[in-house]
Amino acid sequence: MTDTSLDFRVAREDLTRFMQAALAAAGANQVSADAVTRALVTASRMGTDSHGLRLLPHYLRALQGGRIKGTPNMVFHQRLPATGFLDADDGLGHLAGYTAMEHAMAMAEAVGMGAVAVGNSSHFGAAGCYALAAAERGYVGMAFCNSDPFVLLHDGAKPFHGTNPIAFAAPVAGELPYLLDMATSAVPWNRVQQFDAIGRELPDQVAADATGEVSRNPSEVAALLPLGGRDFGFKGAGLGGMVEILSSMLSGMQHGFKLLPMGGPDMSTPRGVGHFFLVMKPDAFVDEGTFARGLAAYLADLRAQPASANARVMAPGDREWRCQAKRDAEGIPLDSANQLAYVEIAEQYRISTLSRLG
């Protein structure tokens, strides 16, 4: 794989093979490698490139440095019939996320709801992957996570909150799930890194330089603005605080302002990231079928609403499912920076390179 053209696409099966081989070579056990691969490929198929395949090099460095354990002993402690705590033992956040959701779904099946706080974890990629895991099994799922400080407070000049994502997914009868996955910052930090790698200018009102002034140059960015931008950032800052409370206080972890930076340079000390997951069984609230009928009617009315010129009204998830169908058919694209990164991984771990489709 040496062609760095802008139209380099790979099959998801080949990408899965490559990721699992690289993670195993870096010290991850099978369940950890499977979880990371599942999350990254899911994100890339849906077009969430900032949280998809481009994150593999980071996780490999963290495994090599010892920050993340490749063979953790994760232990679940059930507190009450619908609540529990998962000690992730400094393992990969993706394994922690999917494991916590399994426990939450089991409790929801038994008593209608299940909530799991996770401590001693690490970066888990796209929060939507875990909410989606619940919706695919017929449950309503939510996922939250804290992170190290990237985001200004409203009227603040220095980063305080992380991007602190919120994800919500619900099953839709006969269709792919309703899926909302959003950062409480104006954009995710990985988007800034992605734009910097490909030399692309950022939108306005999403990021700031070291002085707290808005900047569209990714190389100058020292912080992100909260959702709502300069004028209405109190909304994003408030949501970021809500996520922080759920993720760090309920798990007993330190809040995100005190976390080590995700990007290093210390790749040997565990970070102690916290997550929170909530699962609900729809039929525990209303008669069987009521939720499904109501959601179907809501989505039909939503999608039938008039749109502005050259636009289309979409529900959360519609864009992602359209992108997923396209990428499943045509392949998952790698930009030039990711192509080079994957060449280096193949050489370092002596694994077969990705094959270009077409």
Side-chain angles (χ1 to χ4, degrees):
M1 189 180 68
T2 57
D3 181 0
T4 56
S5 69
L6 298 178
D7 191 30
F8 191 103
R9 295 175 177 271
V10 299
R12 60 171 171 164
E13 295 82 4
D14 194 32
L15 184 60
T16 296
R17 183 271 309 167
F18 186 97
M19 287 183 172
Q20 289 184 333
L23 288 158
N29 61 11
Q30 189 65 54
V31 290
S32 296
D34 286 347
V36 176
T37 300
R38 177 184 175 186
L40 296 190
V41 173
T42 295
S44 283
R45 289 175 67 207
M46 293 190 298
T48 312
D49 293 316
S50 60
H51 284 65
L53 60 85
R54 70 168 299 276
L55 287 173
L56 179 64
H58 169 76
Y59 300 133
L60 297 176
R61 289 194 298 273
L63 284 165
Q64 280 193 310
R67 167 190 281 183
I68 294 176
K69 294 180 182 177
T71 57
N73 179 31
M74 297 188 180
V75 179
F76 178 65
H77 305 273
Q78 188 159 349
R79 304 296 192 189
L80 292 170
T83 65
F85 171 77
L86 178 69
D87 183 341
D89 192 33
D90 301 319
L92 284 150
H94 320 74
L95 179 60
Y98 286 125
T99 300
M101 288 303 286
E102 287 294 330
H103 288 293
M105 285 187 280
M107 291 187 289
E109 184 61 31
V111 298
M113 299 178 69
V116 178
V118 178
N120 299 314
S121 190
S122 61
H123 191 265
F124 70 2
C129 294
Y130 312 102
L132 179 61
E136 289 175 337
R137 300 256 291 273
Y139 301 97
V140 173
M142 299 188 74
F144 309 86
C145 181
N146 71 348
S147 68
D148 49 307
F150 290 120
V151 187
L152 302 180
L153 293 170
H154 184 54
D155 289 336
K158 296 293 182 181
F160 182 77
H161 284 142
T163 52
N164 292 16
I166 296 170
F168 173 90
V172 181
E175 298 181 28
L176 291 165
Y178 177 104
L179 176 62
L180 171 69
D181 185 359
M182 54 171 275
T184 53
S185 56
V187 293
W189 183 259
N190 284 320
R191 187 70 50 82
V192 176
Q193 293 176 309
Q194 180 190 13
F195 277 35
D196 190 26
I198 62 177
R200 183 173 171 184
E201 188 178 56
L202 290 165
D204 193 20
Q205 293 293 313
V206 302
D209 61 22
T211 68
E213 295 301 315
V214 174
S215 174
R216 300 185 64 181
N217 184 344
S219 64
E220 294 179 354
V221 169
L224 304 176
L225 294 180
L227 187 66
R230 177 67 70 194
D231 294 333
F232 299 98
F234 56 87
K235 298 182 178 182
L239 288 172
M242 178 196 75
V243 173
E244 191 69 67
I245 292 168
L246 291 172
S247 300
S248 53
M249 283 84 210
L250 286 181
S251 65
M253 296 291 99
Q254 61 186 358
H255 65 80
F257 182 68
K258 297 181 178 179
L259 287 177
L260 289 173
M262 175 182 171
D266 183 351
M267 281 290 176
S268 62
T269 305
R271 297 174 67 224
V273 175
H275 318 302
F276 183 76
F277 303 93
L278 176 65
V279 172
M280 295 171 281
K281 184 179 181 181
D283 294 344
F285 297 85
V286 289
D287 292 339
E288 185 176 355
T290 300
F291 175 86
R293 289 190 296 271
L295 183 53
Y298 163 73
L299 291 174
D301 287 342
L302 183 155
R303 292 173 177 135
Q305 295 307 299
S308 56
N310 301 316
R312 178 181 179 181
V313 173
M314 293 189 290
D318 286 355
R319 183 198 67 82
E320 287 81 358
W321 305 134
R322 185 175 296 122
C323 181
Q324 178 174 284
K326 180 180 176 63
R327 291 188 171 188
D328 283 353
E330 300 177 1
I332 297 171
L334 277 72
D335 61 34
S336 57
N338 283 314
Q339 289 174 51
L340 292 172
Y342 273 60
V343 167
E344 292 177 0
I345 291 171
E347 292 175 350
Q348 179 179 0
Y349 294 105
R350 299 181 180 179
I351 56 180
S352 299
T353 57
L354 292 170
S355 299
R356 179 177 180 172
L357 286 178

